[in-house]
Amino acid sequence: MHPKVNTLLFCLLFLFGTHALAAKQLDWSTYEPVLEWKTTTIEALADRIATTYTTDTDRAAAIYYWIANNLTYDTGLMRRVTEQKQGRRYDKEELDRLYEDRITYAWEKRRGVCENYARLYERMAELAGVEAEMIVGNARGDYLQAGSLGIGHAWNAVKIDGRWELLDATWGAGHLNEKLRFVAEFKPQYFFPDRRALSYSHFPRDAKWQLLAEPVGEETFLDGVAVGEGFLKYDLRELSHPTYVLKAKRNQPLVITAVGENLPSQFATVNLTTRNQIESRSEIEDGRIRITIPAGQVRNMKLAVLDPRGDVILAYKIVVR
């Protein structure tokens, strides 16, 4: 589970979309009935989803909606699982039992860590007639983890009309605040995010699950820019600076550009080192963002670009030369 670091009211996270555009056009109210159904087994719920929704996309979305709105991230279990994994090796029988235990725990307790979310999603999808896989690897949840592989994480892939798509029901359910307490908040942007965008935050153990023609290597992943929730919210792409370390020229303005959708009228910039907002100018035209930081404000620092709500869009380590 990623943390949501709330310093100066900024929030952090990652992702966005190719089929993402189609996912963002979904009317999520279509899936609200699933929250009212009184089913006592996973099989019964999956069967009702399969009979109510006729397309693979709708079934996959309904399961995502149900899990993201019903499961609470279990920080206590997170600590216990972390402790148990230290140097622990499992045989096949133990792994099979753990597989079922993860699903049962999530269903009965309505709680879990990322593996519970992903295992339950995989099982429900398959019962509803949608092919699914659990993906394991690492993920970075905020700019504090930039330059690292992040923490162990699990998410899913589902096959929609013969094409694999990605989703992260754990991150779609909410976030951990600065006190590592779970805050529930349904987030549709983690359903079918753009594969390239996801590669900034999620690094699967098996490179094939990046679903990219040219998979991102570990070195590229480690070098990648830190991206936040707004990165997905505005479908940002064509970044002028795609790496976390941004080399700026002394006594010259710093210009950051990107292309996006449904952009706000302005963005703010914050020096994360001093926690102070800094002067900048935002120009939004025809879906293109141009953020200019005056020469006098450019210095060695950690920089965040925020939207009007305070969500981090991008974060960089500025190195002046």
Side-chain angles (χ1 to χ4, degrees):
M1 185 64 177
H2 62 82
K4 184 163 184 173
V5 179
N6 189 0
T7 308
L8 294 183
L9 299 178
F10 15 107
C11 329
L12 307 172
L13 243 161
F14 313 130
L15 281 66
F16 88 76
T18 65
H19 227 293
L21 195 55
K24 287 179 185 297
Q25 291 173 344
L26 289 176
D27 178 2
W28 288 94
S29 66
T30 302
Y31 312 109
E32 289 178 357
V34 302
L35 303 184
E36 304 300 323
W37 296 343
K38 305 300 181 184
T39 51
T40 58
T41 66
I42 300 172
E43 291 78 8
L45 177 58
D47 182 67
R48 188 157 183 184
I49 286 172
T51 56
T52 302
Y53 301 100
T54 59
T55 70
D56 287 347
T57 296
D58 280 336
R59 290 169 178 169
I63 295 167
Y64 176 89
Y65 191 81
W66 188 92
I67 290 177
N69 281 286
N70 274 282
L71 265 61
T72 297
Y73 192 79
D74 192 331
T75 54
L77 178 60
M78 174 185 68
R79 289 189 289 270
R80 295 195 299 275
V81 169
T82 301
E83 292 168 359
Q84 291 169 1
K85 284 185 176 179
Q86 299 301 322
R88 182 77 162 87
R89 296 180 67 86
Y90 299 97
D91 59 31
K92 184 179 184 304
E93 185 177 338
E94 288 176 313
L95 287 172
D96 289 343
R97 187 176 68 252
L98 283 171
Y99 179 100
E100 295 301 326
D101 287 348
R102 296 286 189 263
I103 296 171
T104 301
Y105 186 93
W107 176 259
E108 294 182 351
K109 304 290 187 182
R110 297 294 197 265
R111 303 175 68 85
V113 294
C114 58
E115 186 179 348
N116 298 90
Y117 282 77
R119 289 293 189 199
L120 181 59
Y121 188 95
E122 181 183 48
R123 175 62 54 81
M124 288 179 65
E126 291 176 347
L127 288 170
V130 181
E131 187 176 350
E133 293 282 348
M134 185 182 85
I135 303 169
V136 294
N138 289 76
R140 294 191 296 233
D142 61 60
Y143 74 91
L144 297 174
Q145 296 174 328
S148 74
L149 285 175
I151 61 175
H153 191 50
W155 58 103
N156 293 98
V158 291
K159 187 174 280 189
I160 305 297
D161 300 325
R163 171 187 169 90
W164 285 102
E165 299 292 348
L166 301 168
L167 61 92
D168 190 333
T170 311
W171 286 20
H175 58 267
L176 300 182
N177 65 16
E178 68 277 9
K179 295 182 180 179
L180 294 184
R181 292 175 180 167
F182 179 71
V183 179
E185 181 184 1
F186 176 68
K187 298 178 181 181
Q189 62 263 44
Y190 299 108
F191 182 76
F192 294 2
D194 178 80
R195 301 159 181 196
R196 177 59 63 183
L198 188 63
S199 72
Y200 284 107
S201 60
H202 288 56
F203 192 70
R205 190 177 300 166
D206 187 339
K208 76 176 185 181
W209 288 119
Q210 292 182 28
L211 304 181
L212 295 171
E214 297 182 7
V216 172
E218 183 173 325
E219 184 176 350
T220 300
F221 179 77
L222 292 173
D223 289 343
V225 62
V227 297
E229 282 194 317
F231 189 73
L232 308 181
K233 187 171 21 175
Y234 304 118
D235 286 337
L236 294 191
R237 56 196 181 277
E238 298 182 29
L239 302 180
S240 59
H241 302 287
T243 58
Y244 179 61
V245 177
L246 195 166
K247 297 177 182 178
K249 294 183 179 180
R250 194 176 303 278
N251 300 321
Q252 290 190 25
L254 172 61
V255 178
I256 298 171
T257 64
V259 171
E261 305 288 339
N262 302 313
L263 301 171
S265 59
Q266 63 179 358
F267 292 91
T269 49
V270 171
N271 182 333
L272 296 172
T273 305
T274 63
R275 301 185 178 183
N276 293 323
Q277 185 168 342
I278 61 177
E279 178 187 351
S280 63
R281 184 175 72 255
S282 301
E283 299 171 87
I284 316 293
E285 185 176 358
D286 296 329
R288 181 167 291 276
I289 307 166
R290 181 182 177 89
I291 299 169
T292 303
I293 301 172
Q297 298 287 334
V298 179
R299 55 181 63 95
N300 293 326
M301 62 179 168
K302 290 184 178 179
L303 173 76
V305 178
L306 290 75
D307 71 3
R309 193 182 107 157
D311 287 339
V312 169
I313 310 301
L314 300 163
Y316 292 100
K317 179 179 180 180
I318 308 299
V319 177
V320 178
R321 294 186 175 180

